[in-house]
Amino acid sequence: MPMRFTRRQLGTVGASALGAAAASAPSGPRPGDGADDEREVSRAFPAGFLWGTATAAYQIEGAVSEDGRGPSIWDTFTHTPGKIRNNDNGDVADDHYHRYRDDVRLMKGLAATAYRFSISWSRIFPQGTGAPNPKGLDFYNRLLDNLLASGIAPFPTLYHWDLPQALQDRGGWETRDTAKAFADYAGYVAEKLSDRARYFFTLNECATFVELGYRTGVLAPGLKLPPGRLNQVRHHALLAHGLAVQAIRARSRAGTQIGLAENISVCVPVIEAPEHIAAAELATRELNAPYVTAIMEGRYRESFLAAAGADAPKVAAEDMNAISTPVDFVGINVYLPGSYVSASDAAPGFVSVPFPAKYPTMNSSWLKIAPEALYWGPRNVAKVWNASDIYITENGCSATDVPADDGIVYDTDRIMFLRNYLTQLQRATSEGVPVRGYFHWSLMDNFEWAEGFGTRFGLLYVDYATQQRTAKLSASFYREVAARNRLV
Ligand code: NOJ
């Protein structure tokens, strides 16, 4: 049963603030005068809601040359001068490969009940295909055992951007063979780990690793492909997802749940009126056309194909069936909305509203503060594609985070971010949107891709010189919410 508070139980600070506002109100019952004391305010999440954190292999593990791991495109990219801020790399990162036991203990201290992490493909298959490397798998066996002993449910992601370099040398995501190799690897891992991991994610954020890795070149492998080749990469990423769903289902224990973790373009209606809400739903399908829309609907939208023209992806006979193999859940990474949307009489039926230049932004320049994305993101997925199980697979805030003289990191900016985003998520679950869990990005500060170690996303502060982890103030906030399963 969710706990419920009356206004009186909310305490004197809230009551007096409400009282001051009410003093200038023209009429109606005044908070604090007893008239609304019995009105209940529930801020609880559904029973069984999972609270977790998320990480990714290359961002935290380090140990890049240990126990037979093969190089990935991220090793190559980070060791190419000028690609990463400060020429940082993930050679050591958070040294999680050696410190995973402590990190699991710290997760438990956050009252976390779930953990999303990624598996390094080139630890398992150093050349991408061929003979597996037992020592690589052993690391994840140990991690899983530790998590389960701590009462934390493992949610492995099979691809978080670290393609084995050997596959890149053979054409990478430009070839169909990579999609097939991914399915073989995914099936193998699921066969070995599904006795303990019940949930698997295929690919993390196709839209990011494809657009930034193959169009703008900001992420590995740093390519700037022309439109036709780019569309083929997009298509092969979707194919890899679909073939992997099939391979995991064929080779895992009964009851294994499979889904994706995509940073969908979240479309927020500028005004919550029916015509703008409908426009945001339409925009959700249109703006996600090359990725999640194709997965959920089994076809590319006409508008996408028309815009691509002769550069449209080449689709083999069974591809769309494979791509749309039903998933058990949809994971969405939610940071900022793709767009604020308003209705329009002109095609395509909506207008994307631009962000003003000075829109409030966190430390990473792309991370604008828009808490309502955490309501509209899952709500649109549930409404547009009838998804019955949704996970927030990432949500988090970048900050500068410097320990004060007393050693504490007073990250009230992250607490502000969390409080506001989680308020919107709670609004969604209280309206019946089927969100089953929330994974905060990230457990601890880590290697933030092209931004190197220059920005921090963790609930735990990492001193990279000593590898000491220190819980930030936001970790206390998160623990309270997770432990009580409600906003506090
Ligand atoms: C999405 C990515 O999945 C993750 O790797 C990254 O660190 C966070 N967003 C923050 O940028």
Side-chain angles (χ1 to χ4, degrees):
M1 271 291 284
M3 286 168 62
R4 283 168 183 272
F5 283 150
T6 64
R7 292 228 171 202
R8 178 160 287 161
Q9 287 170 309
L10 287 172
T12 51
V13 174
S16 59
L18 285 166
S24 58
S27 62
R30 293 187 175 191
D33 66 3
D36 67 347
D37 275 359
E38 297 313 314
R39 197 181 301 156
E40 288 187 324
V41 179
S42 173
R43 309 197 78 201
F45 286 85
F49 192 84
L50 291 176
W51 291 98
T53 57
T55 63
Y58 188 74
Q59 294 181 272
I60 64 166
E61 284 181 1
V64 290
S65 308
E66 266 178 71
D67 292 336
R69 176 187 179 275
S72 84
I73 55 174
W74 272 94
D75 299 289
T76 311
F77 195 64
T78 54
H79 285 275
T80 308
K83 298 294 185 192
I84 309 292
R85 182 158 138 192
N86 203 30
N87 286 324
D88 288 342
N89 61 59
D91 288 3
V92 177
D94 291 346
D95 195 30
H96 172 75
Y97 193 77
H98 300 115
R99 295 167 192 266
Y100 68 93
R101 286 189 190 82
D102 291 341
D103 292 337
V104 171
R105 193 173 44 74
L106 291 165
M107 279 175 221
K108 206 167 155 56
L110 293 172
T113 46
Y115 175 49
R116 176 174 175 248
F117 59 97
S118 84
I119 293 179
S120 154
W121 184 346
S122 64
R123 280 198 198 283
I124 312 289
F125 290 97
Q127 300 301 309
T129 56
N133 167 33
K135 284 189 171 173
L137 190 69
D138 274 358
F139 169 67
Y140 298 104
N141 275 323
R142 295 193 300 273
L143 176 62
L144 249 58
D145 291 343
N146 258 259
L147 288 166
L148 293 178
S150 300
I152 298 172
F155 280 68
T157 302
L158 289 152
Y159 185 75
H160 203 123
W161 307 354
D162 43 358
L163 186 72
Q165 182 61 43
L167 293 185
Q168 182 62 36
D169 296 342
R170 306 207 292 268
W173 289 110
E174 288 201 65
T175 85
R176 292 176 72 84
D177 290 348
T178 296
K180 290 187 195 141
F182 177 68
D184 289 345
Y185 146 72
Y188 174 81
V189 171
E191 186 181 303
K192 299 291 180 194
L193 301 187
S194 60
D195 57 336
R196 284 153 296 155
R198 182 155 179 251
Y199 303 85
F200 286 87
F201 298 101
T202 54
L203 304 174
N204 176 71
E205 294 198 358
C206 293
T208 307
F209 83 77
V210 172
E211 301 304 322
L212 301 190
Y214 295 81
R215 182 169 57 83
T216 66
V218 169
L219 299 182
L223 301 176
K224 296 181 182 174
L225 298 182
R229 285 168 65 190
L230 178 65
N231 274 329
Q232 213 53 44
V233 167
R234 289 171 170 154
H235 183 70
H236 292 152
L238 301 191
L239 187 61
H241 157 80
L243 294 176
V245 175
Q246 296 178 346
I248 297 169
R249 207 157 270 153
R251 296 176 68 176
S252 61
R253 299 277 169 117
T256 301
Q257 306 276 298
I258 314 159
L260 62 159
E262 188 55 35
N263 59 329
I264 61 162
S265 218
V266 173
C267 301
V268 176
V270 274
I271 301 163
E272 294 194 7
E275 63 274 28
H276 300 291
I277 292 173
E281 288 164 6
L282 176 62
T284 298
R285 298 180 72 202
E286 285 290 334
L287 300 182
N288 291 294
Y291 297 107
V292 78
T293 303
I295 289 174
M296 300 306 284
E297 302 185 11
R299 54 194 291 273
Y300 287 116
R301 284 181 75 76
E302 288 307 325
S303 49
F304 169 70
L305 293 175
D311 293 318
K314 289 169 193 46
V315 179
E318 281 305 301
D319 285 5
M320 296 317 290
N321 281 343
I323 286 170
S324 59
T325 305
V327 287
D328 298 299
F329 57 84
V330 177
I332 52 175
N333 294 358
V334 180
Y335 290 87
L336 74 163
S339 277
Y340 284 85
V341 165
S342 66
S344 165
D345 289 337
F350 65 90
V351 172
S352 290
V353 180
F355 284 100
K358 297 277 185 194
Y359 191 92
T361 301
M362 300 304 300
N363 190 38
S364 298
S365 56
W366 57 269
L367 185 45
K368 306 192 185 310
I369 307 169
E372 63 273 34
L374 212 42
Y375 170 78
W376 287 101
R379 186 259 182 222
N380 287 342
V381 168
K383 177 84 190 303
V384 172
W385 294 301
N386 209 16
S388 60
D389 287 273
I390 298 171
Y391 289 89
I392 305 303
T393 35
E394 284 185 33
N395 167 248
C397 122
S398 65
T400 43
D401 292 333
V402 180
D405 290 345
D406 58 9
I408 297 175
V409 177
Y410 294 101
D411 58 340
T412 46
D413 46 0
R414 185 168 288 101
I415 293 176
M416 171 280 293
F417 187 98
L418 266 169
R419 183 182 286 120
N420 283 284
Y421 274 74
L422 291 180
T423 296
Q424 293 291 327
L425 183 61
Q426 198 274 338
R427 176 186 170 204
T429 56
S430 68
E431 290 179 14
V433 179
V435 183
R436 310 298 180 204
Y438 170 89
F439 294 87
H440 187 74
W441 186 271
S442 179
L443 169 66
M444 54 191 165
D445 299 334
N446 58 48
F447 176 76
E448 177 56 12
W449 308 114
E451 293 186 48
F453 296 103
T455 193
R456 292 173 181 268
F457 273 90
L459 294 172
L460 307 177
Y461 179 86
V462 177
D463 178 338
Y464 294 110
T466 62
Q467 289 295 346
Q468 191 184 330
R469 283 84 157 121
T470 309
K472 301 177 191 173
L473 205 55
S474 58
S476 309
F477 177 88
Y478 191 76
R479 185 180 53 236
E480 287 298 307
V481 175
R484 295 166 197 252
N485 198 31
R486 59 178 301 116
L487 283 159
V488 283

